[in-house]
Amino acid sequence: EPEVTQTPSHQVTQMGQEVILRCVPISNHLYFYWYRQILGQKVEFLVSFYNNEISEKSEIFDDQFSVERPDGSNFTLKIRSTKLEDSAMYFCASSGGRVNTEAFFGQGTRLTVV
Amino acid sequence: SQQGEEDPQALSIQEGENATMNCSYKTSINNLQWYRQNSGRGLVHLILIRSNEREKHSGRLRVTLDTSKKSSSLLITASRAADTASYFCGQNFVFGPGTRLSVLP
């Protein structure tokens, strides 16, 4: 069964450092998403991406964040200068459409900022 | 807001009992989706119910939708310990805070 894969599973980084989280969406999907889940809290939408551009983003997704689809398979989330409060699980998801379709989630990357 | 709001925030039941979780939303919808999250893992899609549907079943899951009340419910019948998870409703892939279900053996 096709799946969304995320790497690494766990990343530890120093405050102020840049970090790139990687995702390989399901190959024929067109819509891609990043979410954040701080420990014990809800799953927060960050951004959606379609046709090589951001289609929606939340208030959380400020100038410190960026997304890219550098090639035909990877979808990345970059945090330019990490803060302690960026520590969270980051989930990538993809879907074949925008309406009336399900999203498939990766297993997440646990980011720890120290 | 496109997200749903689940109720209750937490629910604890005995194995074999039914669990009912509710979701309210504010904007008009094309569809509403329910997802499940095991602790620390990615969300897994359970059911999508379209705005012109009133009820949908999948195994032990039953979802209802009342567009006049802008609400939906997820019923899990004959619950098992393995159903212990958080359950989220949402539309357009934006989710509410979830209901944390604990099924006690």
Side-chain angles (χ1 to χ4, degrees), chain A residues 52-89:
Chain A
N52 281 322
E53 60 183 29
I54 291 172
S55 48
E56 288 177 72
K57 62 181 181 179
S58 71
E59 291 177 353
I60 303 168
F61 194 87
D62 61 21
D63 292 344
Q64 290 297 310
F65 292 89
S66 62
V67 289
E68 195 177 30
R69 189 155 162 82
D71 53 44
S73 60
N74 290 285
F75 178 52
T76 62
L77 174 70
K78 182 192 293 185
I79 309 175
R80 287 190 182 78
S81 177
T82 50
K83 306 172 198 146
L84 294 177
E85 53 265 36
D86 293 326
S87 295
M89 283 289 284

Side-chain angles (χ1 to χ4, degrees), chain B residues 20-53:
Chain B
T20 299
M21 289 158 272
N22 302 300
C23 169
S24 59
Y25 57 92
K26 294 177 180 168
T27 61
S28 59
I29 58 170
N30 293 310
N31 64 73
L32 196 79
Q33 302 198 33
W34 284 89
Y35 285 76
R36 164 196 167 124
Q37 183 187 34
N38 286 5
S39 180
R41 309 294 294 264
L43 275 67
V44 175
H45 181 260
L46 295 177
I47 286 186
L48 180 154
I49 186 164
R50 297 171 193 248
S51 59
N52 61 352
E53 296 176 312

Side-chain angles (χ1 to χ4, degrees), chain B residues 40-100:
Chain B
R41 309 294 294 264
L43 275 67
V44 175
H45 181 260
L46 295 177
I47 286 186
L48 180 154
I49 186 164
R50 297 171 193 248
S51 59
N52 61 352
E53 296 176 312
R54 291 296 165 259
E55 190 170 307
K56 205 159 183 180
H57 296 255
S58 175
R60 293 183 296 113
L61 306 181
R62 172 178 165 245
V63 166
T64 61
L65 180 65
D66 187 335
T67 52
S68 66
K69 295 180 179 176
K70 291 188 167 60
S71 68
S72 175
S73 68
L74 169 67
L75 169 68
I76 304 174
T77 60
S79 63
R80 306 166 183 166
D83 294 328
T84 295
S86 292
Y87 292 83
F88 299 89
C89 71
Q91 51 175 317
N92 292 332
F93 311 124
V94 179
F95 306 101
T99 292
R100 187 174 294 112

